[in-house]
Amino acid sequence: MTDPLAHVRELFDLADDVVYLDGNSLGAPPRAVAERLDDVVRRQWGRRLIRSWSEGWWEAPQRVGDRIGRLVGAAPGQVVVGDSTSVNLFKALVGAVRGTDRSEIVVDAGTFPTDGYIAGSAAELTGLSLRPADPDDLRLDERTAVVLLNHVDYRTGRLLDMAGLTERAHEVGAKVVWDLCHSVGVLPIELDALGVDLAVGCTYKFLNGGPGSPAFLYVPSAAQPGFRQPLTGWTGHREPFAMAAEYTPDAGIGRARAGTPDILSMLALDAALDVWDGVELADVRAKGLALTARFMELVRDLPGIEVITPADGRRGHQVSLRHPEAARLMAELIAGGVIGDHRPPDVLRFGFAPLYNTFDEAERAAKALEELL
């Protein structure tokens, strides 16, 4: 089939003898990142020294945030980059429930563990109860302050209905926080259009920002004046260099900042985002669905394999398989140059990044698994 993204693969530093299908854990490096970081270290830091803070470093969290905003359907001034997903999730949850007279936080029962841990801490510190619930049976009511949901399930690859679940939360007066870690860079997301209250996401998976690259936080413009996040660090101050004794939050998305930006990883992410210039998310989504469909077709009837990723369009860009010897199989696949990952006890995951993965790679991976079985 015609691949409108075939040319983008050349922008990545990938070995031809490796089939890399773990972009849902760590994206592959764009070629431009190393050169850009060399400039950051040698010139911006090495020659310009502290002057670089006033030559683009200070504004980087919002500037890079706006670049991600384009990928999640957010108008400029609503996304800020910095800190980790866990830290941003804590900001979002506590900010969502501060001042509420409601009594519970609801969290997706199958959520990625850190989301559950952070939600538990937020509930404990704010005096609310925490209730895990199946997204298909949330049972929300006037007690619910906020709902935390994963857009794509990290284990199965299932895609949740953002529009429908956001509306369901709003019907009972609750807010919703979406974790976009496994959907940003995968499919078109329309945070503004759907009236999402808050969202967080990481950048080292399908955005290819590099290991430990900073996460992002979305706060819509209308909600920013009332957003009181708990980590009131100096960079979120309205006048950070005034060094005032009292904290006054920035008027805009800057109030979601906390500590000094991690410039090296921030600017590596900035360089990595260049691969998205000129890319249409509709093309990314179409290719991702086709890649995963082809792979599922090839592995579905292999002995001992159970495909647990939805076969219809309700999936991200990963395929999860269940097999009793998943750990051994994945170790042998990796040794043979097909890199996916294993989730205990029995799940093999294969993440397809449409910017650089090909249909030939999907077939090579399926063939390698068939030979092992």
Side-chain angles (χ1 to χ4, degrees):
M1 64 178 292
T2 301
D3 181 1
L5 301 175
H7 65 286
V8 183
R9 181 183 171 91
E10 297 305 314
L11 301 178
F12 289 85
D13 188 10
L14 285 164
D16 291 334
D17 61 345
V18 170
V19 176
Y20 188 64
L21 299 179
D22 207 8
N24 53 319
S25 290
L26 177 65
R31 295 183 186 276
V33 172
E35 181 179 353
R36 188 80 61 85
L37 272 183
D38 184 73
D39 176 72
V40 172
V41 173
R42 295 181 184 277
R43 183 184 64 81
Q44 296 181 36
W45 180 16
R47 293 294 177 264
R48 299 305 295 163
L49 298 165
I50 200 168
R51 290 173 290 184
S52 285
W53 280 111
S54 57
E55 296 172 354
W57 284 4
W58 184 259
E59 299 79 14
Q62 283 101 311
R63 177 172 55 79
V64 180
D66 283 343
R67 300 190 74 185
I68 294 173
R70 182 182 77 83
L71 303 177
V72 296
Q78 300 181 109
V79 177
V80 67
V81 172
D83 304 312
S84 67
T85 304
S86 298
V87 171
N88 283 324
L89 184 57
F90 183 74
K91 296 177 191 174
L93 287 174
V94 175
V97 304
R98 265 184 149 173
T100 187
D101 57 359
R102 297 186 171 217
S103 60
E104 71 172 10
I105 296 172
V106 174
V107 62
D108 181 345
T111 190
F112 189 77
T114 195
D115 289 28
Y117 305 156
I118 294 294
S121 292
E124 180 182 0
L125 292 170
T126 58
L128 277 66
S129 62
L130 180 68
R131 178 167 63 85
D134 187 322
D136 293 328
D137 184 27
L138 291 178
R139 293 177 289 111
L140 309 179
D141 56 34
E142 67 281 354
R143 296 171 297 176
T144 309
V146 65
V147 185
L148 169 60
L149 296 167
N150 291 107
H151 198 194
V152 171
D153 186 283
Y154 81 101
R155 187 178 294 273
T156 67
R158 178 194 180 194
L159 172 67
L160 294 186
D161 177 7
M162 180 179 285
L165 291 169
T166 297
E167 182 178 4
R168 189 183 306 177
H170 290 172
E171 284 175 352
V172 298
K175 296 178 180 178
V176 62
V177 176
W178 283 96
D179 182 329
L180 309 179
C181 286
H182 288 84
S183 61
V184 62
V186 171
L187 68 159
I189 300 171
E190 298 294 339
L191 296 180
D192 285 353
L194 297 181
V196 169
D197 299 288
L198 296 155
V200 302
C202 66
T203 63
Y204 51 78
K205 300 182 189 294
F206 290 107
L207 293 186
N208 312 296
S213 57
F216 64 90
L217 172 60
Y218 163 81
V219 185
S221 296
Q224 288 171 12
F227 180 65
R228 296 171 56 221
Q229 63 113 333
L231 302 178
T232 49
W234 76 288
T235 65
H237 198 284
R238 179 172 297 181
E239 298 182 76
F241 294 98
M243 303 298 171
E246 300 298 325
Y247 182 81
T248 304
D250 181 82
I253 190 63
R255 66 176 51 210
R257 293 172 62 166
T260 303
D262 36 2
I263 290 298
L264 296 183
S265 56
M266 181 89 63
L267 298 186
L269 168 62
D270 192 23
L273 290 172
D274 287 352
V275 299
W276 291 93
D277 292 346
V279 169
E280 295 294 331
L281 281 166
D283 291 336
V284 174
R285 181 57 170 159
K287 182 179 176 182
L289 286 174
L291 279 168
T292 50
R294 179 59 176 154
F295 184 70
M296 286 193 286
E297 176 188 3
L298 293 170
V299 302
R300 186 177 306 280
D301 296 326
L302 294 181
I305 289 292
E306 176 191 359
V307 179
I308 61 173
T309 298
D312 57 19
R314 296 176 302 158
R315 65 175 183 271
H317 289 173
Q318 75 181 56
V319 176
S320 295
L321 311 176
R322 183 167 282 131
H323 190 281
E325 296 186 67
R328 176 186 64 81
L329 288 172
M330 185 53 70
E332 293 185 13
L333 284 170
I334 292 172
V338 175
I339 302 176
D341 70 12
H342 162 243
R343 286 291 177 265
D346 58 358
V347 174
L348 302 103
R349 298 193 313 169
F350 301 87
F352 289 84
L355 295 191
Y356 54 80
N357 285 134
T358 67
F359 289 92
D360 176 67
E361 289 178 323
E363 293 169 3
R364 286 164 61 189
K367 183 64 174 177
L369 181 59
E370 180 183 11
E371 289 175 354
L372 288 179
L373 292 169

